[in-house]
Amino acid sequence: MIRAGEHQVSDAGRLGELYRQHAPEAVRLAYLLTGDRALAEDLVQEAFVRLFGRFRDLRNPDAFPWYLRRTVVNLARSHFRHKRVERAYVASHGADPTTAAGPPDTGAREEMWQALLQLPERQRTAIVLRYYEDLSEAQTADAMQCPVGTVKSLVSRGMGRLRGLVTRDE
Amino acid sequence: MSDVDNDVRELLRQKADGLEGPSQMPRPVLRRARRRRALNGFVAATTAAAVIVGAFLGGQALLRPRAERGPAGSTTPTVTGSGLSEDGLSPAFAAIWPERNADELRAEQTRVKEHPDVDGYRLDPKETAVEFAHQVLNWDPTIIDATVKVPPGGAPNPPLEVELHFGTLIREEGLPPQAPYALSVTGAPLGNTGDLGIWSVTRVRSDLVDLTCGIGSPVATDGSIHVCGNTAWDPSLATAKTWATPGDAATTGLDPDEASPTLDLPMASDGTFEGELGPVPGGFGGSTVIVVEVLDQSGSPVGMAAQKIVIARSDSSSSPTP
């Protein structure tokens, strides 16, 4: 019994340490993918539940951040696919100050943020992974579980739309 | 790197930096994780038992004489491989999106079986068509109305046409039924045809893009394709463009790649357009996907026609160099 208790304590300690180390960055990524802080925290908690649930089965526990990133991307994608409310959600909550992180932007930057949130979620995911996470095209394809060519296409299309917005504004 | 690239990078960094992440793990996370771990263990044990029983039954079936076995089930893969069909006029592998050859299809099929929660849309022709419009044309899936048109006759696993209307919900709210925005996406289960068989898009048409000269005939390597048609969209506001992409590998989705011939089609006042698209590079392989897109005044695609055609190699290009 004592051993089981000790095991549970060390288990909780180890998982707690992983959470402290990686949850903040995962929440930032989820926030950039979804545009909503509360949703981002929910997704990250779910990601940790899933990963902790099979932590001993992970082929390489040292690659935990990689598994976490991939799980967050999958969960965000799954969320939008199942709910089918991506645009409606952003439209109704995008300007809600309770969901925003930090002081509101003004002008062109806020416009670009709104445009980014309105991109199809796969385009946005590819852009966030390439430009925020600084992943290579191959790493992005791995995280999104799609061919490298698809990543190129998604980034190109998404950036094309953002450029169009900036050009029109000028 | 352009200014917009830098702006996006800086914007993302700033948005992320403005967010303080959680410092302590909420208690329910650990509780749920432990419950999940226990559930995973149960599922693994059950699966292992099922595999052992299945292997035993499968071994027994194999030991029976061949004549006693029934015909192959409906889940037998029917992938024929890339290249030409027997008549040489149509591509043997018909899909244009998201995969373009049998190897990509097998990989996708495996991936969907492993992650049905993420890629479950591939199992449904309607969902696949909606996803196509979302990813390729940037249509908002929340206002797409999709209808599956089942062809007459009782052929097993026929290709299905899914008719998509963009903005139908808005029209239902009382706006006049203008701008049809309709897209007809043909899909087919090209690999497994059972419950876990995925659907692929094989052709796209639109009531906004009427191609009046057929583009289905094989094109010669380095040859060109005559593209002509008309659009029902207001010609003073519409633009049209066409391009060809490699037909045997989905390297860029349906977007043009570096070697793709592309052409802006001049739009006449009556909505007609015409042009020569080419040359089609030999490096494209055995087939090419021809895409014609009509865009509105904001540059958003409102209609598309896309299909795969055969590239017919001339004798000189196929014979070995002495």
Side-chain angles (χ1 to χ4, degrees):
Chain A
M1 292 297 287
I2 294 170
R3 281 192 177 180
E6 281 177 348
H7 173 72
Q8 284 205 342
V9 169
S10 66
D11 195 34
R14 190 174 180 200
L15 298 182
E17 184 55 34
L18 280 171
Y19 193 91
R20 274 190 295 278
Q21 272 181 11
H22 302 295
E25 191 52 42
V27 168
R28 288 186 194 108
L29 171 63
Y31 172 68
L32 295 178
L33 296 178
T34 63
D36 183 270
R37 178 178 183 154
L39 175 61
E41 290 184 354
D42 286 349
L43 291 182
V44 168
Q45 284 190 17
E46 178 62 25
F48 271 93
V49 166
R50 290 191 180 197
L51 284 179
F52 286 172
R54 59 189 180 93
F55 186 62
R56 289 179 197 147
D57 304 326
L58 297 182
R59 272 173 284 186
N60 178 13
D62 291 339
F64 185 83
W66 180 86
Y67 288 119
L68 181 61
R69 179 195 296 133
R70 190 161 159 168
T71 307
V72 168
V73 168
N74 273 344
L75 286 172
R77 186 179 176 194
S78 189
H79 167 81
F80 285 128
R81 187 179 312 293
H82 290 161
K83 300 290 183 186
R84 291 284 185 213
V85 292
E86 177 185 10
R87 297 296 174 90
Y89 195 92
V90 171
S92 60
H93 290 73
D96 182 351
T98 61
T99 62
D105 286 328
T106 54
R109 182 155 289 175
E110 177 58 19
E111 210 166 328
M112 185 179 275
W113 173 239
Q114 292 303 326
L116 189 72
L117 291 178
Q118 287 174 29
L119 290 179
E121 51 91 9
R122 295 248 291 166
Q123 290 179 8
R124 185 170 61 251
T125 301
I127 288 173
V128 168
L129 292 176
R130 291 280 286 130
Y131 286 81
Y132 174 69
E133 295 271 310
D134 276 333
L135 299 188
S136 67
E137 285 172 341
Q139 289 169 324
T140 304
D142 191 42
M144 295 180 69
Q145 299 171 60
C146 67
V148 172
T150 304
V151 169
K152 289 182 185 173
S153 166
L154 291 169
V155 172
S156 161
R157 282 233 165 194
M159 291 303 291
R161 284 200 72 190
L162 293 177
R163 276 193 196 95
L165 175 86
V166 171
T167 309
R168 274 201 301 278
D169 286 350
E170 286 169 357
Chain B
M1 187 171 291
S2 75
D3 285 347
V4 177
D5 288 356
N6 287 329
D7 286 348
V8 169
R9 201 180 294 277
E10 197 180 325
L11 169 72
L12 293 172
R13 187 69 56 197
Q14 190 195 47
K15 284 285 175 187
D17 287 346
L19 199 70
E20 275 189 31
S23 56
Q24 291 295 324
M25 179 167 62
R27 283 183 170 275
V29 171
L30 191 59
R31 266 202 313 273
R32 288 173 59 206
R34 284 182 176 144
R35 273 205 302 271
R36 195 176 185 96
R37 187 181 294 171
L39 182 66
N40 285 349
F42 173 74
V43 170
T46 310
T47 306
V51 167
I52 291 168
V53 171
F56 175 72
L57 293 177
Q60 277 194 327
L62 281 175
L63 291 175
R64 274 190 291 156
R66 181 175 290 273
E68 288 181 25
R69 288 183 226 154
S74 65
T75 56
T76 303
T78 55
V79 174
T80 54
S82 58
L84 300 182
S85 61
E86 285 181 7
D87 62 10
L89 298 175
S90 54
F93 190 80
I96 62 172
W97 188 90
E99 53 274 326
R100 305 244 183 93
N101 63 52
D103 289 339
E104 289 177 344
L105 179 74
R106 286 190 199 96
E108 280 292 296
Q109 181 69 73
T110 304
R111 199 159 66 80
V112 172
K113 278 184 180 173
E114 287 174 356
H115 304 283
D117 55 331
V118 175
D119 295 306
Y121 74 96
R122 297 295 312 272
L123 306 175
D124 182 278
K126 191 195 285 189
E127 288 285 304
T128 301
V130 170
E131 189 67 17
F132 172 84
H134 179 45
Q135 295 295 341
V136 177
L137 294 178
N138 221 10
W139 285 11
D140 182 346
T142 59
I143 53 171
I144 294 177
D145 182 42
T147 311
V148 178
K149 297 168 78 175
V150 180
N157 306 308
L160 293 179
E161 268 193 25
V162 182
E163 197 168 274
L164 305 176
H165 287 268
F166 188 51
T168 302
L169 297 179
I170 294 170
R171 286 202 294 278
E172 283 172 352
E173 287 167 4
L175 295 176
Q178 57 187 353
Y181 266 92
L183 195 72
S184 177
V185 177
T186 306
L190 297 175
N192 292 0
T193 52
D195 286 346
L196 285 178
I198 60 173
W199 287 75
S200 309
V201 174
T202 57
R203 187 173 183 182
V204 181
R205 293 181 295 114
S206 166
D207 60 0
L208 284 175
V209 187
D210 183 16
L211 297 180
T212 48
C213 35
I215 56 172
S217 306
V219 59
T221 304
D222 295 326
S224 62
I225 301 154
H226 190 62
V227 178
C228 64
N230 57 68
T231 179
W233 196 256
D234 183 343
S236 67
L237 301 175
T239 54
K241 60 181 180 179
T242 181
W243 66 89
T245 69
D248 298 336
T251 51
T252 58
L254 275 188
D255 286 348
D257 74 4
E258 299 83 8
S260 290
T262 60
L263 179 68
D264 287 327
L265 293 161
M267 184 74 68
S269 57
D270 61 354
T272 58
F273 52 80
E274 188 168 13
E276 289 291 325
L277 175 66
V280 176
F284 273 14
S287 65
T288 180
V289 178
I290 308 299
V291 182
V292 181
E293 203 171 60
V294 170
L295 306 107
D296 65 12
Q297 66 273 30
S298 72
S300 299
V302 292
M304 169 183 273
Q307 73 178 88
K308 188 187 276 193
I309 65 172
V310 165
I311 299 176
R313 296 194 173 276
S314 62
D315 289 343
S316 58
S317 65
S318 59
S319 59
T321 310

